[in-house]
Amino acid sequence: MPFSKNILCIGAGYVGGPTMAMIAHKCPHYKVTVVDINPKRIAEWNFDDLPIYEPGLDKIVTSTRGKNLFFSTEIERGIKEAEIIFVSVNTPVKTFGAGAGMAADLQYWEKTARQILKYSESSKIIVEKSTFPVRTAFAMERILSLTENDIHFDVLSNPEFLAEGTAIKDLEYPDRVLLGSRETPSGVKARDELVKIYASWVPKERIITSNIWSSELSKLVANAFLAQRISSINSFTALCEKTEADITEVARAIGMDSRLGNKFLNSSLGWGGSCFKKDILNLVYLCRNYGLSKEADYWEGVVRINEYQKERFVLNMVSAMFNTLVSKKICLFGFAFKANTSDTRESPAIFISKRLLDEKAELVITDPKALDNAMTDLDGIDGKISYIEDPYEASDGCDAIAVMTEWEIYKSLDFEKIYRSMVKPAFIFDGRNILDHKGLFDIGFNVFPIGKPVLTHF
Ligand SMILES: NC(=O)c1ccc[n+]([C@@H]2O[C@H](COP(=O)([O-])OP(=O)(O)OC[C@H]3O[C@@H](n4cnc5c(N)ncnc54)[C@H](O)[C@@H]3O)[C@@H](O)[C@H]2O)c1
């Protein structure tokens, strides 16, 4: 049976791969091709060992790959054949020139737009899936309007709200799908095409439309609010530690207020991930560009509190362990920026590892899925680091354990066995507040949670 439409996604990353796999899975009549400039990544998508770990992803990829889902490096061919092109390339923070450290680096996006322009032989719908600064679609339209033949491009915004670790569930049962377009007849027609795709599995009332700028901005605002929520709860942890209040009890009390809700109130050593920091900094940069310095300062504070929280965690460790970490062996439980993902981008564990190495501690890093990425992140850093997947083996002979990632497996380890194998006094710094602190204290550990009274035997 011929396919009713050809969909292309440019960028086979954490967003492009899973989102296109879901579209292919739910819309067997569409041919979905995902292309990337990175041949290694494409090769991995074509093998059993996928380039990213997400619960449930392998199942939908293997059931669709080779049928209506294809991974390829043939970008030119992909563009020529597609009627709808999703752009899902990376938009990291700029590291050079104007706006360095704040603005989005749009080189990948612009190259993609120029490739689309160069290879297109027919009109197409172009969908911004990446997170872009508000009004990027305007620049995209300007580039695509340079066409010399009779081709027309409709540029739409369809930001992705999935969370890593729950990407497949989020894609299958999204809270909402947002589609932003121009209110022109052709913009509305293009939007209807996208609605048709999502309506294959998403209830109609969850597919919302808006003007294109609101759509672009909504993604930045959503990430700013989510990160702000964690920074807000984290901003009270130091006060709790000083006053014997317990942040978990405080979170429970405020979370029962229906105006606030109880989600995203877990305190921790700080948020990470590829998006929050870059998107907020980008928002800050945009505000400053528009002369809105008060708004910029306000949102920059969300990032500042997060940096402070990570540094505070390290300083607490140094102070608890008699003000020196020199030659002490510290086992990091987890390296991924959150549980159920192999992604380590902007993981607090990277900052903390570097700071502990500065203090001349030795590191043993354990993680069920992210050790390869951890090795890449810490490659070339001075200091002694080993990588061991088994947490028992990893913590053997260590002075301290520091929990970096809230992996479920860490909750049910045999901590009596671990305690016996560690140097005494043994310390646990629970950067995620996931362990049974009283139980660990009773075993003999000195326990340092976040935002709760410490439990020590001194
Ligand atoms: N990771 C997330 O959880 C998440 C969630 C929502 C939105 N986003 C946004 O989605 C976008 C992509 O994020 P990601 O995490 O998938 O990034 P990623 O780095 O995992 O993937 C991007 C891919 O694009 C490829 N690429 C870059 N330029 C290209 C070009 N010219 N042609 C073909 N391929 C090209 C890269 O090789 C890379 O494989 C970003 O804007 C991000 O902010 C990410």
Side-chain angles (χ1 to χ4, degrees):
M1 192 182 72
F3 294 111
S4 60
K5 277 237 165 357
N6 278 310
I7 294 177
L8 179 75
C9 175
I10 302 183
Y14 282 83
V15 166
T19 50
M20 293 304 122
M22 185 57 70
I23 291 179
H25 173 58
K26 297 292 185 181
C27 309
H29 48 293
Y30 289 154
K31 180 181 175 193
V32 182
T33 307
V34 189
V35 291
D36 203 290
I37 36 170
N38 180 346
K40 180 168 171 280
R41 210 165 221 195
I42 290 299
E44 286 168 344
W45 279 110
N46 281 321
F47 280 100
D48 288 342
D49 210 4
L50 301 181
I52 63 174
Y53 171 73
E54 270 297 329
L57 176 64
D58 49 353
K59 203 164 141 212
I60 59 165
V61 169
T62 41
S63 70
T64 48
R65 196 173 50 197
K67 295 190 183 110
N68 68 327
L69 176 66
F70 302 89
F71 294 95
S72 159
T73 49
E74 291 185 82
I75 299 177
E76 176 177 345
R77 180 167 160 204
I79 291 172
K80 283 196 169 117
E81 287 179 0
E83 283 115 0
I84 301 174
I85 300 180
F86 287 84
V87 178
S88 188
V89 299
N90 37 330
T91 49
V93 171
K94 225 178 145 190
T95 53
F96 53 89
M102 300 286 276
D105 183 348
L106 298 175
Q107 60 171 311
Y108 306 100
W109 158 85
E110 184 168 341
K111 271 183 203 137
T112 308
R114 290 187 186 277
Q115 276 175 317
I116 294 173
L117 177 69
K118 184 169 169 197
Y119 298 130
S120 288
E121 293 171 349
S122 57
S123 296
K124 297 178 197 306
I125 297 172
I126 310 300
V127 189
E128 294 177 344
K129 193 57 146 161
S130 302
T131 306
F132 290 122
V134 57
R135 295 197 79 79
T136 299
F138 183 61
M140 177 94 84
E141 285 171 348
R142 291 291 287 273
I143 290 178
L144 293 174
S145 68
L146 299 173
T147 175
E148 279 157 14
N149 42 28
D150 207 14
I151 296 174
H152 173 75
F153 296 97
D154 283 294
V155 179
L156 279 80
S157 160
N158 169 216
E160 185 48 62
F161 294 101
L162 67 77
E164 286 181 31
T166 52
I168 298 304
K169 187 176 125 284
D170 297 344
L171 288 168
E172 191 155 18
Y173 307 104
D175 288 344
R176 75 321 207 171
V177 168
L178 175 58
L179 300 171
S181 68
R182 295 276 195 181
E183 289 297 331
T184 57
S186 126
V188 171
K189 192 162 164 255
R191 188 169 81 191
D192 289 345
E193 278 294 334
L194 286 192
V195 170
K196 231 193 285 171
I197 296 176
Y198 286 108
S200 304
W201 77 96
V202 180
K204 271 257 160 66
E205 65 278 10
R206 287 184 184 250
I207 303 175
I208 58 171
T209 58
S210 73
N211 88 33
I212 194 160
W213 321 123
S214 310
S215 174
E216 289 179 329
L217 184 58
S218 297
K219 173 64 194 179
L220 293 177
V221 173
N223 274 355
F225 264 69
L226 290 167
Q228 179 206 40
R229 178 108 165 157
I230 307 176
S231 281
S232 294
I233 196 76
N234 280 344
S235 74
F236 291 108
T237 53
L239 188 58
C240 285
E241 287 160 25
K242 294 213 182 295
T243 58
E244 291 185 28
D246 180 324
I247 197 69
T248 308
E249 293 179 354
V250 173
R252 186 187 57 193
I254 67 163
M256 286 177 76
D257 186 325
S258 57
R259 291 167 302 177
L260 295 174
N262 60 8
K263 298 215 176 109
F264 254 60
L265 281 179
N266 287 337
S267 52
S268 68
L269 74 174
W271 42 261
S274 64
C275 295
F276 283 177
K277 187 172 173 184
K278 82 169 170 65
D279 290 349
I280 296 177
L281 291 178
N282 181 222
L283 200 56
V284 168
Y285 182 75
L286 277 174
C287 287
R288 293 235 157 87
N289 249 358
Y290 285 109
L292 308 172
S293 62
K294 290 278 181 290
E295 290 86 338
D297 291 346
Y298 176 75
W299 287 105
E300 203 166 18
V302 171
V303 177
R304 262 199 311 271
I305 280 285
N306 199 53
E307 304 299 319
Y308 159 74
Q309 187 75 344
K310 291 183 280 186
E311 177 67 13
R312 204 172 76 75
F313 187 80
V314 174
L315 295 180
N316 275 349
M317 288 181 75
V318 177
S319 137
M321 294 179 76
F322 316 118
N323 292 311
T324 176
L325 299 182
V326 176
S327 302
K328 289 184 180 163
K329 248 174 121 175
I330 297 173
C331 182
L332 299 189
F333 270 23
F335 203 86
F337 84 92
K338 67 191 284 200
N340 297 319
T341 177
S342 52
D343 196 353
T344 59
R345 290 177 292 180
E346 293 290 340
S347 175
I350 300 175
F351 173 87
I352 286 165
S353 297
K354 290 181 181 166
R355 284 288 289 104
L356 294 176
L357 291 168
D358 284 346
E359 297 289 340
K360 304 206 181 304
E362 290 179 22
L363 296 187
V364 187
I365 297 173
T366 179
D367 189 289
K369 297 286 175 196
L371 282 191
D372 286 348
N373 283 336
M375 283 180 220
T376 310
D377 293 330
L378 300 179
D379 186 33
I381 307 267
D382 267 357
K384 208 165 163 196
I385 316 173
S386 15
Y387 302 89
I388 301 176
E389 199 170 316
D390 176 42
Y392 294 104
E393 208 189 310
S395 50
D396 188 3
C398 286
D399 298 78
I401 291 170
V403 179
M404 300 283 106
T405 312
E406 71 281 21
W407 286 104
E408 202 58 32
I409 50 161
Y410 298 146
K411 296 183 190 168
S412 53
L413 294 173
D414 179 350
F415 278 99
E416 298 212 6
K417 177 176 163 186
I418 289 177
Y419 181 73
R420 282 197 299 275
S421 75
M422 287 179 65
V423 172
K424 310 296 180 313
F427 295 83
I428 287 200
F429 300 90
D430 186 355
R432 296 286 181 170
N433 281 345
I434 54 164
L435 303 179
D436 168 12
H437 301 140
K438 175 72 175 50
L440 292 170
F441 174 72
D442 290 343
I443 290 172
F445 282 105
N446 298 294
V447 188
F448 293 79
I450 299 263
K452 291 166 183 276
V454 298
L455 297 167
T456 65
H457 297 279
F458 310 133

